[in-house]
Amino acid sequence: MTIEVRVPTLGESVTEATVATWFKKPGDAVAVDEMLCELETDKVTVEVPAPAAGVMGEIVAAEGETVGVDALLATIAEGEGAAPAPAAAAPAPAAAPAASGGSVDVMVPTLGESVTEATVSTWFKQVGDAVAQDEMLCELETDKVSVEVPAPAAGVLAEIVAPEGTTVDASAKLAVISGSGAGATPAPAPAAAATPAAAATGKDVANAPSAEKAMAEAGMSATQVSGTGRDGRIMKEDVARAVATAAAPAPAAAPAPAPVPRAPVAADDAAREERVKMTRLRQTIAKRLKDSQNTAAMLTTYNEVDMTEVMALRSQYKDQFEKKHGVRLGFMSFFTKACCHALKEVPEVNAEIDGTDIVYKNFVHMGVAAGTPTGLVVPVIRDADSMSFAAIEKAIAEKGKRARDGKLSMAEMQGGTFTISNGGVYGSLMSSPILNPPQSGILGMHKIQDRPMAINGQVVIRPMMYLALSYDHRIVDGKGAVTFLVRVKEALEDPRRLLMDL
């Protein structure tokens, strides 16, 4: 049977790529998940694995060709070459298993689109420990998620190549597992590891076609460009960096003074301090939030909502709701529905800026900010505007659990068009949420607190909540922001408006 190899998803707003390099030729045997080719986009380099074992058939898109998402790249004749395929179990250093007499390399797994490196956070096994197939060996930490690395085979952990705290790239070797025993295999492992390194230094590496073209246009040679691709291959973005560096050598030193030196600390105080390295997730959160402040013209408007009707409705139907749908009825589904309703009337709050264009989204992918032990993440509920109360509650519960367990994938945190952040669960009475770029709006929920309110000339006690909408003033005017918040308030104070689409 013939299997088609197609262009994978390339990431948000990326619609095409250039075929940079083919690692296989027609007639070559391929194993499942063995790398067939490398695609180059404007932002990242994407490796395309084999969807099945077999023999490489026709290469439809040659090196240098530009292809769209889901375009046909090649074909594989399934099964015909399956016998020799296991020899390539470790895609990058293929010579290592043979040289080490039955050892298996533990490689960095796929980290997700646009993620090129990770930090080894924890090893669950030590050298000499016996491991079972699929048993967790270590945990990697990326900018977004934590990735557990399972053992590809049963045996004994012979060598840890990347200890805790090491930053590794997407094709790096983490460890070596010996299948023949603990005593004899650890010694040859360093020699085997040196083989691919030596081979790499003496190998002629072909640069990406787009990089060759860019170097020719810029009048540069390969010796003037430092390659960041596989085996030091020069990519298009490497040439762009080299050209920019050559054109502006003086200003390059300007960003250096950015880090502010820490003020001197008294010796007595220093002895009682503890210095802990920031996790990659925390570094990314800090960078993105600061970039958001520096990029957007951010402004916050406030209102308050009487939660009496929502609380009464929830109290009346929560038992029936949970019995029928198997999930508790919370406040988040009401707020999600109210926001989707308001976004239809004020679409600019659901839009984003792309250069000199405004991109209006005719759908709502709702981001729900969730606090985890490692930091803040924002899983996305896709097409929330077309979901029922029960579907929203189930999605939020499932995403929240995956976030707390560190199991969210990159795809689950991408593509949001608007975000809700509930600081009320921590007791916050009022705050100004920060935008989640490239979004133009974020709603902040807060603590429900009984307060005296003037209703029809009388002072009565009502459960009140402050609402905060932070928005990008470059795209959302004050009138639109206030209208949005008022529509959310009206929908929550009279939930029947949601049913009547008012």
Side-chain angles (χ1 to χ4, degrees):
M1 186 174 70
T2 300
I3 302 295
E4 294 181 340
V5 180
R6 294 189 172 273
V7 176
T9 302
L10 300 173
E12 293 179 31
S13 76
V14 181
T15 58
E16 62 181 19
T18 301
V19 181
T21 308
W22 277 101
F23 305 129
K24 293 290 182 178
K25 302 188 294 292
D28 288 355
V30 297
V32 178
D33 292 332
E34 186 175 8
M35 291 306 155
L36 299 180
C37 70
E38 195 170 55
L39 305 180
E40 185 183 79
T41 73
D42 293 340
K43 297 181 178 179
V44 294
T45 299
V46 180
E47 291 182 332
V48 180
V55 173
M56 191 72 176
E58 178 189 6
I59 292 180
V60 179
E63 293 184 3
E65 287 191 24
T66 299
V67 291
V69 176
D70 203 39
L72 182 63
L73 294 170
T75 59
I76 294 175
E78 188 180 21
E80 295 179 23
S100 54
S103 65
V104 177
D105 289 344
V106 180
M107 309 299 292
V108 175
T110 302
L111 299 174
E113 293 173 24
S114 76
V115 180
T116 58
E117 62 180 19
T119 301
V120 181
S121 59
T122 309
W123 275 99
F124 305 128
K125 295 288 184 178
Q126 297 177 347
V127 174
D129 288 353
V131 296
Q133 186 169 356
D134 293 330
E135 186 177 5
M136 290 306 155
L137 297 179
C138 68
E139 189 174 57
L140 306 181
E141 187 180 82
T142 73
D143 295 345
K144 293 284 186 181
V145 294
S146 295
V147 180
E148 291 182 332
V149 181
V156 174
L157 188 59
E159 179 189 8
I160 292 178
V161 179
E164 292 183 4
T166 304
T167 298
V168 293
D169 61 31
S171 60
K173 180 164 71 172
L174 297 171
V176 178
I177 294 177
S178 167
S180 55
T185 50
T195 305
T201 55
K203 182 183 175 183
D204 238 355
V205 178
N207 299 321
S210 56
E212 295 284 2
K213 181 181 177 183
M215 284 190 290
E217 291 174 352
M220 303 181 75
S221 66
T223 56
Q224 297 174 276
V225 183
S226 176
T228 59
R230 179 191 281 266
D231 297 328
R233 183 178 294 104
I234 297 175
M235 313 305 290
K236 184 179 178 181
E237 56 265 28
D238 299 331
V239 180
R241 267 195 301 272
V243 171
T245 303
V260 179
R262 187 167 182 251
V265 179
D268 291 344
D269 294 339
R272 292 180 291 172
E273 292 180 344
E274 180 183 6
R275 183 180 292 269
V276 178
K277 184 176 177 62
M278 290 175 68
T279 65
R280 294 180 64 85
L281 177 60
R282 176 55 58 190
Q283 292 177 45
T284 302
I285 291 172
K287 182 179 183 301
R288 284 180 60 83
L289 293 180
K290 190 58 186 171
D291 288 346
S292 175
Q293 285 187 321
N294 294 340
T295 302
M298 193 161 58
L299 194 62
T300 304
T301 185
Y302 302 91
N303 212 318
E304 59 182 353
V305 57
D306 185 345
M307 297 292 291
T308 301
E309 294 298 326
V310 168
M311 293 176 70
L313 193 63
R314 178 173 177 263
S315 177
Q316 182 177 355
Y317 292 108
K318 64 179 181 180
D319 293 336
Q320 299 176 46
F321 186 91
E322 185 172 3
K323 183 177 180 181
K324 179 175 181 179
H325 300 292
V327 65
R328 296 180 63 183
L329 177 61
F331 292 119
M332 285 301 298
S333 54
F334 287 95
F335 277 87
T336 301
K337 280 287 191 181
C339 286
C340 292
H341 177 75
L343 289 172
K344 292 180 181 178
E345 184 173 342
V346 193
E348 58 266 31
V349 181
N350 196 48
E352 68 179 61
I353 293 177
D354 182 17
T356 57
D357 296 332
I358 297 176
V359 182
Y360 290 96
K361 310 295 180 67
N362 298 318
F363 53 87
V364 179
H365 290 343
M366 187 66 70
V368 180
T372 71
T374 56
L376 181 72
V377 294
V378 187
V380 176
I381 312 298
R382 297 188 174 276
D383 296 310
D385 52 324
S386 62
M387 297 173 70
S388 64
F389 278 80
I392 291 172
E393 290 291 355
K394 288 177 181 177
I396 291 175
E398 189 264 339
K399 299 284 188 186
K401 183 178 186 304
R402 288 173 59 81
R404 290 189 295 274
D405 294 342
K407 303 295 185 183
L408 285 175
S409 67
M410 293 286 291
E412 292 176 289
M413 295 186 284
Q414 292 177 335
T417 63
F418 184 81
T419 296
I420 298 177
S421 176
N422 186 4
V425 296
Y426 304 110
S428 172
L429 186 62
M430 182 180 285
S431 64
S432 300
I434 298 178
L435 286 174
N436 183 22
Q439 298 171 21
S440 298
I442 178 172
L443 180 75
M445 297 168 54
H446 299 93
K447 176 184 177 182
I448 299 174
Q449 189 174 56
D450 286 343
R451 294 205 305 273
M453 302 296 295
I455 308 293
N456 297 325
Q458 294 185 339
V459 177
V460 295
I461 303 299
R462 290 292 178 90
M464 304 298 294
M465 177 191 288
Y466 287 116
L467 298 179
L469 174 70
S470 292
Y471 60 97
D472 190 344
H473 213 345
R474 296 178 301 167
I475 184 174
V476 182
D477 293 330
K479 176 186 175 183
V482 172
T483 300
F484 172 87
L485 208 51
V486 169
R487 293 295 175 267
V488 172
K489 170 185 169 71
E490 291 173 347
L492 293 169
E493 291 185 339
D494 185 4
R496 294 172 297 181
R497 297 176 66 92
L498 296 174
L499 297 175
M500 303 299 295
D501 195 22
L502 296 176

